[in-house]
Amino acid sequence: MEDGQGGGEISAGAWESKHRTHEHAVLKACHVLRAGQDGAERRGVYKLVVEDTRTAPGTRKDSVPLGSGFTGWALPDRAEVTLPTGCAVRMGSAAPHLTASLDVPSQDEERLYRRGEKPPVDLDTALPNNATVMREAATRLAERYDCADTG
C-alpha cells in the first residue's frame, strides 16, 4: 500500500501475543512505517491485526461489504473481516470469533480534515483496495491454518 506522501525507508514489524492483557487478545499483528523525507518523523502506512473477540461482528456506517463468502466491511481508512469459524481454535483462541482488521492512518478522514489535506489515495481506489486486502487476509489465514469453512 502507498500513502501518497513519498519518503524514505519502509520498515515493518510483526508480533504475536499469547497472553490476554485486556478484553481482546491480539494474536498476530504487523505494521508498516515509512520514514519521512529529510529526516521527518516516521509515519504509519498501515497496520493489520488479527485478534479474538467475544462479540459477533457488526458493520460500520457508510462501509461496503467485502463480497460473497466474506463477513466484514471496508472504509477508505479501516476494514475488518471475520475469519471462518474454525480459525479461532486453530490459532489458539477460545473466543467464538476471530477478526482481522486493517488500519490505514494516511486515509483517516478526520485527521485529513483537521489538517486541511486531501486523501493521498482517491477514495474510489482506497475502498476497493482495502476490501481486497481483507478478502486476501481472510483467505490466506484460512489456508495457512487449514480452517476454511467447508459449507
Side-chain angles (χ1 to χ4, degrees), residues 124-139:
D124 290 336
T125 301
L127 196 56
N129 284 354
N130 291 351
T132 298
V133 168
M134 290 290 82
R135 288 190 302 268
E136 282 290 317
T139 299

Side-chain angles (χ1 to χ4, degrees), residues 80-105:
E80 184 175 287
V81 65
T82 301
L83 299 179
T85 308
C87 290
V89 170
R90 293 276 192 163
M91 292 180 78
S93 173
H97 304 285
L98 202 61
T99 61
S101 60
L102 177 70
D103 183 27
V104 186

Side-chain angles (χ1 to χ4, degrees), residues 9-92:
E9 177 181 325
I10 291 181
S11 62
W15 63 95
E16 186 170 345
S17 172
K18 298 285 187 189
H19 304 287
R20 183 175 303 278
T21 57
H22 51 291
E23 184 177 332
H24 301 294
V26 173
L27 299 175
K28 300 203 179 281
C30 68
H31 66 273
V32 174
L33 302 172
R34 182 182 287 272
Q37 294 179 346
D38 301 323
E41 188 174 313
R42 293 187 324 163
R43 63 188 181 280
V45 177
Y46 69 90
K47 177 174 61 175
L48 182 66
V49 176
V50 178
E51 63 186 340
D52 60 11
T53 181
R54 304 269 172 222
T55 59
T59 59
R60 290 284 175 105
K61 182 181 177 186
D62 300 326
S63 67
V64 297
L66 298 180
S68 179
F70 296 93
T71 301
W73 50 268
L75 291 167
D77 63 334
R78 294 198 43 81
E80 184 175 287
V81 65
T82 301
L83 299 179
T85 308
C87 290
V89 170
R90 293 276 192 163
M91 292 180 78

